[in-house]
Amino acid sequence: MPSDLTSRLEILERQHRRLRALCVLSLAAAPTLALLVPARADRPDVLVPPTVEARRFVVRDADGQPRAVLGLQGGRVILTLRRGDGSVALELGEDARPHPLR
């Protein structure tokens, strides 16, 4: 019985050493990763592309409904702002009359 207890204790101690080593490595890696993040933030050209291109941009509210749309319509550039109910609040575009806000 004592040898069984001894072997179980040795296994437990080995597992504890491994776990402790893993914790030490994790604590050592955390500051290194923290130092890398600000280094990237200092270079906005890495984080943000210089140009964003698309035929249409849609801004949606929390419910997923389109509230603003900027894009091409019939070959014209149109900016449309919508109310919460989906009706047009304002529409601006080339040769288009602006609709007043109500």
Side-chain angles (χ1 to χ4, degrees):
M1 187 80 161
S3 82
D4 184 40
L5 185 61
T6 305
S7 66
R8 290 178 65 190
L9 184 59
E10 288 174 357
I11 292 171
L12 185 62
E13 287 176 344
R14 196 175 320 125
Q15 288 174 344
H16 182 260
R17 279 192 302 271
R18 288 180 186 157
L19 182 61
R20 189 172 44 191
L22 181 63
C23 288
V24 168
L25 287 174
S26 298
L27 289 174
T32 304
L33 292 175
L35 291 174
L36 292 177
V37 172
R40 289 183 57 101
D42 292 340
R43 297 193 48 208
D45 59 313
V46 172
L47 298 176
V48 180
T51 304
V52 177
E53 296 182 20
R55 290 187 182 91
R56 183 173 166 186
F57 294 94
V58 179
V59 177
R60 298 183 183 274
D61 62 14
D63 297 326
Q65 299 300 315
R67 296 300 300 270
V69 179
L70 173 63
L72 296 171
Q73 190 175 54
R76 299 181 326 158
V77 177
I78 301 284
L79 171 63
T80 304
L81 303 179
R82 297 189 176 274
R83 294 185 183 89
D85 63 3
S87 63
V88 175
L90 177 69
E91 188 172 84
L92 298 173
E94 297 175 281
D95 300 323
R97 294 183 331 184
H99 298 278
L101 295 171
R102 295 180 195 142

